[in-house]
Amino acid sequence: MNPIFKKLASQTAAYGLSNIVGRFLNYLLIPIYTRVFFPDEYGTVNELYAYASFLGVVFTYGMETAFFRFINEKENKKQVNDTAMLSVVVSSVVLMLLFILFSQPLANSIRYQNHHEYIIWFALILGFDAMTAIPFAKLRAKNLPGHYVFYKLFNIGVTVALNLFFLVACPWLLEKNPDGFISHIYNRDFGVGYVFVSNLAASALTFLIMSPFIFRRAYDFSFSLWKKMFRYAFPLLFVGLAGMVNETMDRLLLKFNLPGSNEHIMEQIGIYGACYKLSLLMTLFVQAFRMAGEPFFFGEAKKENAKQVYSMVMNYFVIACLFIFLLVMLGMDVFKYFIGSKYHEGLGIVPILLLANLCLGVYYNLTIWYKLTNKTNMGAWISIMGAGITLILNFWWIPIMGYWGSAWATLICYASMMVVSYLLGQKYFFVPYNIMKAGIYFSVAMGCWLTSKFLTAQVNDYSHAVPLFINVSLLFIFTVFVYLVEVKKIFAKKYLLKNILKR
């Protein structure tokens, strides 16, 4: 493997580890939450974390990406680091104080009049997380994925351990010894507060162990550099907010736009959410690649063959995503058991959501054009366009098609953003992407999937041995086809595809 791509692949795997382990551990908490809390209590957890996802974007306001942009451009890297760091620290402290000061009015506005402490806890969580954002970015920029993973897994480990302690261990110990020590530190009526306090403790401890990266005797802060970084970063705030609309708004819109009884609506949301989790493998890969790819792309920007590298990275990224798509779809007889059988009626939306995440991943690859040309305002408009598509199509299709409307809206949103970003990128920062080659791979993958659907529908095999053989064979065929084209270049040498498949 080319050393450049070997390095990128290893970093993608390393960054993916923290995401995969984190998601896995968090999913292990869901059975606990749904047994400890009543549905309305668990709804509080979902709702407040939805607000947090939006506010998390506000607390960092694109400064991470600005850090990557300028750290590879300026000779004085310490000044870039210190300027970004001090900016985020000061703004985070100000925002935390504002949220704490106005916690009661804010709690009233979202109908948590009796729990203004939730606002305070989340203000602290968001502030601590924001202040560690630049140190984490620095670890990525310095190609230290091992250090990055250690701090991330520390945060996740503390969160999970405290959840298990408060929600499982404490009730059990209290039941065994009602007058014991646990009775002084545990209160059953605290409820979902233990989820938030566990998160707060993890964020605070992570901030504490990373404080040597944050605080120093003297900062090399440059106001003129800060203005440039802020002008670059500010449009990314809207990119992030629009992205949150695309990622989380569909579930909120389902609740308010689905027809039928409340019980039916919540059931449909449950099916949609459960089946959405089956696209987790694609989501994790895209997130891991994005975290490794951003510093990689900026680091390659000044090299002579940078655009050719970007093109090849896109090629291998599409191959990996199509392989994941086939792995999930051809292995659906296995993957479907990750969710209960009562949710299986929604399995039809899984390929739509997988393709949506593939388009999102390609879009992330393409965004390098506006980040390198300092046209982040255009990136903001693309994201706002995507958010508009999400809102319009969900409002239109949910009453007609239910959660199928949300799934198709997600795919059309990300596909539209991908296409528009590609067209604008070719105008302002031309990269010789091999669209025809990607199209051939896509066609072969879709052909394998559709062939599987046709052949397995003809088989009445209760042992599932024949469908399994068919699906494994089709996945092998796709893998061999990619191998012949990418490694042996047989088709490129012998057939009419020579010009299409050339690099």
Side-chain angles (χ1 to χ4, degrees):
M1 182 185 288
N2 187 308
I4 294 176
F5 299 115
K6 185 177 181 180
K7 176 182 176 183
L8 178 60
S10 65
Q11 291 180 9
T12 299
Y15 292 126
L17 175 64
S18 61
N19 280 305
I20 292 169
V21 174
R23 287 289 185 97
F24 177 72
L25 292 175
N26 284 325
Y27 276 122
L28 289 181
L29 291 175
I30 292 176
I32 296 174
Y33 290 158
T34 53
R35 285 163 175 79
V36 171
F37 302 130
F38 291 109
D40 59 330
E41 292 177 308
Y42 186 52
T44 298
V45 175
N46 285 286
E47 181 185 355
L48 291 181
Y49 276 107
Y51 290 126
S53 66
F54 282 92
L55 290 172
V57 176
V58 176
F59 268 73
T60 54
Y61 51 90
M63 195 55 72
E64 288 174 276
T65 303
F67 170 85
F68 288 122
R69 177 69 178 90
F70 286 86
I71 200 74
N72 290 292
E73 183 180 87
K74 300 289 184 181
E75 292 185 7
N76 190 345
K77 299 184 185 302
K78 182 178 183 300
Q79 188 178 75
V80 175
N81 178 79
D82 289 0
T83 300
M85 183 80 70
L86 198 57
S87 176
V88 174
V89 168
V90 171
S91 60
S92 296
V93 171
V94 170
L95 286 171
M96 282 192 292
L97 292 174
L98 288 173
F99 274 94
I100 293 171
L101 183 62
F102 295 101
S103 59
Q104 189 61 60
L106 288 171
N108 295 343
S109 68
I110 58 173
R111 300 178 183 178
Y112 285 96
Q113 296 90 334
N114 299 324
H115 291 287
H116 75 282
E117 69 274 11
Y118 292 170
I119 305 298
I120 297 173
W121 295 339
F122 271 93
L124 294 173
I125 291 170
L126 292 166
F128 288 136
D129 289 347
M131 287 189 283
T132 58
I134 300 302
F136 275 120
K138 184 178 180 180
L139 293 175
R140 291 163 60 193
K142 294 178 70 174
N143 297 322
L144 295 172
H147 293 72
Y148 177 94
V149 170
F150 169 77
Y151 290 116
K152 282 292 184 181
L153 292 184
F154 173 81
N155 180 284
I156 295 164
V158 172
T159 302
V160 173
L162 289 177
N163 270 277
L164 292 175
F165 175 72
F166 286 122
L167 302 181
V168 178
C170 284
W172 182 79
L173 291 171
L174 190 65
E175 184 177 346
K176 294 293 182 181
N177 187 4
D179 299 321
F181 172 72
I182 292 298
S183 64
H184 299 290
I185 63 172
Y186 175 75
N187 182 358
R188 292 182 186 276
D189 295 333
F190 201 65
V192 295
Y194 285 119
V195 176
F196 309 143
V197 168
S198 298
N199 192 341
L200 174 57
S203 295
L205 288 173
T206 304
F207 170 77
L208 184 63
I209 65 171
M210 296 190 77
S211 58
F213 294 102
I214 302 170
F215 300 112
R216 56 194 66 196
R217 292 182 179 180
Y219 288 93
D220 187 5
F221 180 83
S222 169
F223 185 69
S224 60
L225 175 60
W226 178 83
K227 289 193 293 185
K228 293 178 182 178
M229 295 181 75
F230 185 78
R231 281 197 296 267
Y232 179 89
F234 188 67
L236 297 176
L237 169 62
F238 298 98
V239 173
L241 290 174
M244 287 299 104
V245 170
N246 296 331
E247 289 182 26
T248 63
M249 191 61 73
D250 52 357
R251 270 139 277 189
L252 298 175
L253 293 175
L254 278 169
K255 182 175 182 179
F256 296 103
N257 289 277
L258 273 173
S261 65
N262 185 65
E263 182 180 354
H264 170 74
I265 291 171
M266 298 310 296
E267 179 184 276
Q268 295 296 293
I269 293 173
I271 293 171
Y272 180 73
C275 291
Y276 209 113
K277 288 178 174 60
L278 291 178
S279 65
L280 177 66
L281 197 59
M282 183 79 79
T283 303
L284 289 175
F285 174 73
V286 169
Q287 289 179 344
F289 182 87
R290 182 186 183 187
M291 299 192 75
E294 192 167 48
F296 173 82
F297 287 141
F298 281 120
E300 293 290 316
K302 292 184 179 180
K303 297 182 180 179
E304 185 178 350
N305 65 336
K307 293 184 177 181
Q308 286 69 33
V309 170
Y310 296 158
S311 177
M312 287 192 288
V313 168
M314 176 70 83
N315 177 56
Y316 292 126
F317 178 83
V318 170
I319 291 171
C321 285
L322 290 173
F323 181 84
I324 292 172
F325 175 86
L326 286 177
L327 179 66
V328 175
M329 293 312 303
L330 299 182
M332 185 55 68
D333 285 341
V334 176
F335 280 98
K336 68 182 181 181
Y337 290 110
F338 282 101
I339 60 176
S341 58
K342 57 187 175 183
Y343 298 97
H344 289 180
E345 68 176 74
L347 291 176
I349 66 172
V350 174
I352 302 172
L353 296 172
L354 284 168
L355 291 176
N357 279 284
L358 187 154
C359 291
L360 179 62
V362 172
Y363 167 73
Y364 285 147
N365 272 269
L366 294 170
T367 58
I368 194 63
W369 72 264
Y370 68 71
K371 293 174 181 177
L372 287 178
T373 58
N374 296 331
K375 296 184 182 296
T376 52
N377 59 321
M378 298 186 73
W381 283 114
I382 294 172
S383 295
I384 292 170
M385 176 202 74
I389 291 172
T390 296
L391 293 172
I392 291 170
L393 293 184
N394 271 284
F395 276 115
W396 180 15
W397 285 345
I398 286 175
I400 301 172
M401 296 187 286
Y403 55 71
W404 281 84
S406 290
W408 280 112
T410 302
L411 174 57
I412 292 173
C413 166
Y414 290 147
S416 300
M417 292 170 64
M418 176 185 69
V419 171
V420 171
S421 185
Y422 170 76
L423 295 175
L424 290 174
Q426 294 303 91
K427 178 180 179 181
Y428 292 104
F429 187 80
F430 177 78
V431 174
Y433 296 117
N434 197 327
I435 302 301
M436 186 65 71
K437 190 176 185 181
I440 291 173
Y441 284 137
F442 181 82
S443 300
V444 172
M446 294 304 105
C448 289
W449 174 47
L450 294 175
T451 300
S452 168
K453 287 176 65 68
F454 174 77
L455 292 179
T456 54
Q458 314 305 313
V459 177
N460 187 16
D461 181 5
Y462 292 103
S463 69
H464 300 295
V466 175
L468 178 63
F469 174 78
I470 292 172
N471 290 333
V472 170
S473 299
L474 289 168
L475 187 62
F476 179 74
I477 288 171
F478 177 77
T479 304
V480 170
F481 178 79
V482 171
Y483 175 79
L484 293 175
V485 174
E486 295 296 327
V487 179
K488 295 299 184 180
K489 305 188 187 301
I490 289 178
F491 293 103
K493 291 178 180 177
K494 293 186 177 180
Y495 298 106
L496 295 176
L497 295 176
K498 180 178 180 180
N499 293 325
I500 294 175
L501 298 174
K502 68 182 180 180
R503 293 195 184 281

